[in-house]
Amino acid sequence: MSKQIFQPNAEFAKNANIGSMDEYNKLMNKSKDNYEGFWGEYAKEKLDWIKPFDSVLDESNAPFVKWFDGGKLNVSAQCIDRHLDTRKNKAAIIFEGDRGDVQTITYLDLYKNVNKFSNLLKEDFGVKKGDRVVIYMPMIPEAAYAMLACARIGAIHSIVFGGFSSEALKDRIEDAEAKVVITADGAYRKTKPYMLKPVVDAAITEGSPVEKVLVVERNNEEVTWVAGRDYSYNELIKNKSTHCRYEEMDSEDPLFLLYTSGSTGKPKGVQHNSAGYILWAQMTMEWVFDVKENDTYWCTADVGWITGHTYIVYGPLAMGATTVMFEGVITYPDAGRPWAMVENHRINQFYTAPTAIRVLHKMGEDTPKKYDLSSLKVLGTVGEPIDPPAWKWYYEEVGSSKCAIVDTYWQTETGGHIVSPLPGATPIKPACATLPLPGIMAEILDPETGEKVTEGESGYMCITKPWPSQIRGVWGDEERYVKSYFGDVTKDGKAVYFTGDGANYDEDGYITITGRTDDVINVSGHRMGTAEVEAALKKESEVAEVAVVGKPHELKGEGIFAYVVLKHGLDDSRFEDDVAMMKNLNGIIKKEIGAIAVCDDIVFIPGLPKTRSGKIMRRILRAIAKGEKITQDISTLEDPSVVATIEKMVNG
Ligand code: WTA
């Protein structure tokens, strides 16, 4: 069935960076005809090189690739120093705190704060180029200063989302062998203080690589201090010089690690390097959000996710934009909060997750009408497929049917957008990521043949040529990098990058992402490996076996559904014990991973459906969780009767 189509706003298109499909096609064809020429030109135009690069792309050791080899630059200087001549007094960051406190940080302020922070890390903590620094921070400007200070001195930051538990933090600290952790006492949520420092304390146990912990004071709640290890940022920063010469970095020097879930138990440290990443971060800001010099741009993500890295900090600052950073909860004190912020700060581009849109829609269908949202030009979504009703509400009520919605498809590993509408060019369809961006060779391939699939057929979302902001490696595990991303699809005899997502083309060649093909589920736009959740549940000694699957969820997109086989078996009289056990199991998940991984459903079953070779039939479990009737042949199962039992228990 063809979907409704919406043409770009003609007024907007006149001034857009890419203002028509002709322009889009020209750029796309240019990149296809002369791939290296295309990227080389942009790298020269957009980046300030300390030393020019010798080659554009070196694929000789693929899938380990090098972009702009021989070049030298510094990402922090890209984001700050080069704007000082023309944008010294322009707001770089507008911060709105949970309690409504607002702070404007100009590019000059940012320069001073980041330089001081860099000096602190170097002088007081001895942080050097290549050292790993874990950042476990709330959404406050110091989180951005910390990132940029690391980039300035060549340290590799690894941000851990503030919702992760001490166990999850500990794993990430240890995998990266980080010697410094930057955190805060805590912050505010719904006007109440919450704490982070105690989580860091619990994550640093004997044998930890961490030597120093830097604590930013935000909520001024009492925290315990370990002498010789913990230091107050507010104290140390006082006497630091506002100048710190940046490190001259190679194009391929690592910029950061960001841990993300995969289909096996252990999260992987996705590595991004300097030049290619920052180039695409900046270009997509200009193309996809079409941010202009006097615009104010707001992305509601957390810096703990890739969206916060690329589209709150690096992309906006690299292009010299004004980026809004928000500490609070967008539904607090009510569903009008984001619209009040749009009105107050005259926000022009607003970027959020479908989950947030669904919640805001549900809580306040007519709320946007109460605010002046006339400043809005571009609306964006990211992280999960958006459903047509939420899309329609966003388009009509928030955007007054005049703002393009850019449904941006990408991942931690791609560094920046790969498939997305361009707001001044692409006719959009509800809930459709549309077309690959110029320079990105994204194709839906048949996993068996490596051929491009035809209209209406499903296939694997792949990228057939390296691109500048692609993942460079999995920290400490070369083999996992190759296996995870280049092991599934081969085109013309060459292993190509597979995203892990399924997709299809419609009659216009538009791409719709249908979701993960692996055991990763997408909860409120956050990737969660089912194996990670299973590993946590197995920590309970009463658990014999467990299988975790995703289940459609009205607000979260997907919810987490756990099938658990207990050692004591099933017994009706144990019902109350089972309720206690559910609580206990979710408690374990909170401790091992964090509240984001708590299961929506836990069912205790007599046994898992397995093949005779012992493979768990997750397809069946997924179908039952969805409430579907099992009609397929299950005769090959070791114990087919278990399916009917589980069906009855779950769906009655
Ligand atoms: C999903 C977030 C549909 C997809 C930037 C991908 C999407 C995973 C979209 C990456 C979209 C992201 N439509 N699905 N517009 N954007 N996804 O690494 O499954 O946290 O693989 O990066 O989110 O999640 P990640």
Side-chain angles (χ1 to χ4, degrees):
M1 198 185 72
S2 52
K3 284 179 178 167
Q4 225 178 339
I5 196 152
F6 299 84
Q7 296 300 325
N9 178 329
E11 256 328 280
F12 175 86
K14 272 192 216 153
N15 294 313
N17 288 327
I18 301 178
S20 67
M21 279 313 276
D22 266 0
E23 264 182 73
Y24 164 81
N25 286 321
K26 261 192 212 137
L27 281 170
M28 194 60 174
N29 289 337
K30 192 170 155 190
S31 70
K32 282 185 179 159
D33 295 345
N34 180 2
Y35 196 63
E36 293 196 19
F38 173 89
W39 285 114
E41 261 176 48
Y42 278 113
K44 277 189 206 143
E45 182 194 319
K46 303 284 178 193
L47 301 181
D48 281 14
W49 294 94
I50 301 167
K51 175 179 173 288
F53 49 89
D54 304 319
S55 64
V56 174
L57 170 63
D58 177 356
E59 282 189 87
S60 55
N61 193 26
F64 298 91
V65 296
K66 287 185 185 162
W67 280 92
F68 314 120
D69 200 26
K72 283 195 181 288
L73 81 173
N74 180 285
V75 168
S76 172
Q78 290 298 315
C79 293
I80 309 170
D81 304 42
R82 66 166 170 167
H83 303 309
L84 291 182
D85 281 349
T86 52
R87 303 188 173 106
K88 202 162 65 188
N89 298 318
K90 174 174 174 173
I93 300 175
I94 296 175
F95 169 71
E96 178 160 327
D98 177 72
R99 295 156 306 157
D101 44 318
V102 173
Q103 208 184 321
T104 300
I105 298 127
T106 64
Y107 273 93
L108 183 60
D109 298 333
L110 185 64
Y111 175 84
K112 289 182 185 166
N113 290 328
V114 170
N115 277 272
K116 283 172 52 173
F117 210 129
S118 306
N119 283 324
L120 187 164
L121 293 176
K122 268 167 69 165
E123 293 165 14
D124 295 335
F125 289 180
V127 177
K128 295 181 304 297
K129 181 176 171 185
D131 286 345
R132 273 81 59 210
V133 172
V134 161
I135 300 177
Y136 187 68
M137 290 276 268
M139 285 289 290
I140 55 176
E142 287 79 5
Y145 306 161
M147 295 164 78
L148 293 160
C150 287
R152 195 164 190 89
I153 64 175
I156 305 168
H157 62 71
S158 169
I159 306 190
V160 178
F161 171 59
F164 279 120
S165 69
S166 58
E167 282 301 316
L169 176 60
K170 180 175 171 342
D171 288 348
R172 287 159 175 78
I173 288 173
E174 289 175 5
D175 190 80
E177 294 174 277
K179 65 186 237 188
V180 168
V181 175
I182 303 171
T183 187
D185 43 12
Y188 297 96
R189 187 182 294 125
K190 301 189 179 177
T191 70
K192 306 250 167 7
Y194 73 92
M195 303 306 288
L196 289 173
K197 172 69 165 54
V199 185
V200 174
D201 292 336
I204 303 175
T205 49
E206 216 179 300
S208 170
V210 174
E211 295 162 13
K212 305 272 190 242
V213 175
L214 185 66
V215 185
V216 178
E217 289 160 32
R218 169 67 183 152
N219 63 18
N220 298 301
E221 294 291 307
E222 204 166 316
V223 293
T224 48
W225 294 86
V226 175
R229 187 196 75 185
D230 299 348
Y231 294 85
S232 159
Y233 164 84
N234 305 59
E235 285 302 315
L236 293 185
I237 204 75
K238 277 184 190 156
N239 59 4
K240 292 293 174 291
S241 153
T242 53
H243 182 73
C244 171
R245 175 71 194 163
Y246 49 77
E247 198 70 37
E248 298 188 359
M249 305 293 284
D250 288 333
S251 293
E252 287 293 346
D253 274 333
L255 178 64
F256 65 82
L257 306 179
L258 183 57
Y259 283 80
T260 189
S261 296
S263 43
T264 58
K266 205 170 143 238
K268 40 193 176 190
V270 171
Q271 180 186 328
H272 280 290
N273 291 357
S274 303
Y277 171 80
I278 199 67
L279 173 65
W280 192 232
Q282 178 177 337
M283 286 174 68
T284 45
M285 278 302 296
E286 295 174 359
W287 284 355
V288 176
F289 296 120
D290 205 79
V291 174
K292 295 288 196 281
E293 189 58 41
N294 296 319
D295 284 353
T296 300
Y297 158 92
W298 179 24
C299 164
T300 71
D302 189 286
V303 287
W305 310 111
I306 191 68
T307 307
H309 284 62
T310 310
Y311 297 112
I312 294 179
V313 179
Y314 286 116
L317 298 178
M319 72 163 294
T322 298
T323 180
V324 174
M325 198 172 180
F326 177 48
E327 180 194 35
V329 174
I330 57 168
T331 49
Y332 187 84
D334 54 46
R337 181 75 181 263
W339 318 131
M341 279 181 64
V342 169
E343 179 177 299
N344 293 339
H345 301 292
R346 301 298 297 156
I347 284 162
N348 306 103
Q349 294 85 10
F350 177 71
Y351 190 32
T352 196
T355 296
I357 298 165
R358 285 192 289 266
V359 173
L360 291 167
H361 177 195
K362 197 165 174 196
M363 281 179 68
E365 176 135 25
D366 296 322
T367 310
K369 288 194 178 64
K370 298 186 194 139
Y371 296 87
D372 175 5
L373 304 182
S374 60
S375 57
L376 287 173
K377 297 191 280 190
V378 179
L379 301 173
T381 71
V382 57
E384 48 178 326
I386 177 165
D387 41 298
W391 192 97
K392 197 164 167 278
W393 178 76
Y394 198 31
Y395 186 76
E396 290 172 357
E397 299 302 322
V398 180
S400 299
S401 304
K402 67 176 179 51
C403 302
I405 295 187
V406 289
D407 181 344
T408 63
Y409 167 72
W410 60 297
Q411 338 174 267
T412 304
E413 292 85 346
T414 66
H417 305 147
I418 53 173
V419 179
S420 173
L422 294 164
T426 321
I428 50 174
K429 302 183 190 184
C432 177
T434 71
L435 299 165
L437 291 170
I440 302 291
M441 302 301 137
E443 284 184 311
I444 308 171
L445 302 179
D446 180 323
E448 300 297 319
T449 62
E451 301 282 333
K452 197 167 161 172
V453 301
T454 50
E455 182 194 321
E457 245 177 37
S458 296
Y460 281 18
M461 192 69 238
C462 295
I463 310 177
T464 57
K465 259 180 165 313
W467 66 105
S469 65
Q470 87 174 50
I471 174 177
R472 292 303 196 276
V474 171
W475 186 252
D477 198 342
E478 287 196 350
E479 196 187 325
R480 192 162 177 207
Y481 166 69
V482 179
K483 265 205 183 142
S484 308
Y485 303 107
F486 300 91
D488 291 299
V489 190
T490 305
K491 188 188 175 183
D492 303 329
K494 209 178 96 188
V496 297
Y497 177 89
F498 171 43
T499 58
D501 287 304
N504 56 53
Y505 291 115
D506 72 5
E507 66 280 9
D508 296 316
Y510 275 27
I511 293 169
T512 298
I513 305 295
T514 50
R516 304 285 307 189
T517 61
D518 53 11
D519 289 324
V520 172
I521 49 187
N522 193 328
V523 185
S524 302
H526 303 314
R527 271 159 75 169
M528 197 52 58
T530 52
E532 252 175 285
V533 183
E534 287 168 6
L537 291 170
K538 281 182 195 154
K539 297 247 156 152
E540 163 56 52
S541 59
E542 268 296 302
V543 170
E545 280 189 299
V546 52
V548 168
V549 298
K551 170 189 171 176
H553 187 285
E554 198 194 339
L555 294 176
K556 297 197 250 183
E558 274 188 294
I560 305 179
F561 194 112
Y563 294 93
V564 177
V565 183
L566 291 175
K567 285 184 184 155
H568 66 63
L570 286 176
D571 174 355
D572 282 348
S573 65
R574 290 189 60 102
F575 177 73
E576 277 173 15
D577 289 351
D578 284 353
V579 173
M581 180 57 90
M582 280 181 202
K583 272 209 184 127
N584 166 37
L585 291 176
N586 268 331
I588 293 174
I589 288 177
K590 274 193 199 156
K591 178 168 170 289
E592 293 294 320
I593 307 174
I596 47 170
V598 158
C599 298
D600 299 277
D601 300 88
I602 297 179
V603 286
F604 299 109
I605 55 170
L608 291 169
K610 286 184 191 166
T611 59
R612 291 202 181 98
S613 57
K615 196 170 168 292
I616 299 170
M617 295 295 286
R618 288 169 184 280
R619 208 162 19 91
I620 292 180
L621 293 174
R622 273 193 289 265
I624 296 177
K626 263 193 209 164
E628 289 172 6
K629 276 240 145 319
I630 302 298
T631 50
Q632 66 233 63
D633 178 20
I634 51 169
S635 60
T636 57
L637 293 187
E638 191 187 40
D639 172 14
S641 72
V642 81
V643 173
T645 314
I646 302 172
E647 260 191 301
K648 192 146 180 282
M649 293 179 76
V650 175
N651 298 321

